[in-house]
Amino acid sequence: TVEMELKNIGELATHAGYYTNVQVIKSSRQLFGVDIPLTQSQFIFSYDGVVKAGVDFADIGIEVREAEHRVTVTLPEVKVLSNEIDLDSLEIYDESNNIFHPLDIDDINISLIEMQEESEQKAIEDGLLESARDNAEALLRGMLAGFYDTQRYTIEFA
């Protein structure tokens, strides 16, 4: 059964960070905290992804003060809108499965989720949210310039 619901999300993605991750998953059986020889499984793979940040369009406030020739735009907090892995980019470099201790799909899924979260955090540390806000301001300034003469009106962001 497939169920679909369409909703108007009204999000404006203003900046994207692209990443490539290489992941190594190693696992072996252990006895008293020591790896048992000949039971190691290993999986090395890479994938590409993109983290997008922006604002919720519905929460943007615009106040026009005609007497002062001033337009004040209130932007909501910039946030990460999506973090998607391009599954077509998945490349497997080494897959050595041991019959005594095989890796399963859950190991790979957990690794993908962890790497996706790390990539998002790295993008934020590298200024993703700040760039997204700057781009949102530039886009909105350009849109408002079509309605208000920028020679007469001052457009400011709060």
Side-chain angles (χ1 to χ4, degrees):
T1 303
V2 176
E3 186 176 317
M4 182 184 294
E5 181 179 348
L6 300 176
K7 293 184 178 182
N8 183 4
I9 57 173
E11 293 174 332
L12 175 64
T14 58
H15 199 75
Y18 296 89
Y19 59 87
T20 299
N21 283 327
V22 176
Q23 180 69 20
V24 178
I25 302 173
K26 289 183 179 181
S27 183
S28 61
R29 291 208 181 261
Q30 293 189 338
L31 183 62
F32 304 113
V34 177
D35 290 345
I36 299 173
L38 305 174
T39 65
Q40 187 176 38
S41 293
Q42 178 173 284
F43 196 68
I44 302 174
F45 62 97
S46 72
Y47 63 89
D48 300 330
V50 61
V51 181
K52 293 180 182 177
V55 295
D56 187 344
F57 219 76
D59 294 335
I60 295 173
I62 299 175
E63 178 187 355
V64 179
R65 287 176 273 175
E66 292 289 344
E68 300 171 24
H69 292 103
R70 184 173 305 279
V71 178
T72 303
V73 180
T74 306
L75 282 179
E77 183 178 340
V78 176
K79 60 185 177 183
V80 173
L81 301 176
S82 67
N83 185 351
E84 301 168 1
I85 293 174
D86 178 7
L87 296 177
D88 292 335
S89 71
L90 181 67
E91 288 192 41
I92 299 170
Y93 301 108
D94 181 29
E95 181 180 9
S96 51
N97 237 347
N98 189 292
I99 61 170
F100 300 111
H101 187 70
L103 290 170
D104 61 14
I105 195 71
D106 288 337
D107 295 323
I108 297 167
N109 282 339
I110 289 169
S111 178
L112 281 173
I113 291 168
E114 288 172 356
M115 291 303 289
Q116 196 174 21
E117 290 171 355
E118 288 174 18
S119 297
E120 183 174 314
Q121 188 59 40
K122 174 106 173 70
I124 291 170
E125 290 170 6
D126 288 347
L128 175 74
L129 299 179
E130 291 83 5
S131 294
R133 180 169 177 96
D134 291 345
N135 289 344
E137 288 181 9
L139 286 168
L140 288 167
R141 188 178 305 279
M143 290 172 55
L144 290 171
F147 296 103
Y148 300 99
D149 180 7
T150 55
Q151 299 297 325
R152 291 184 52 217
Y153 284 85
T154 301
I155 300 173
E156 61 186 18
F157 290 86

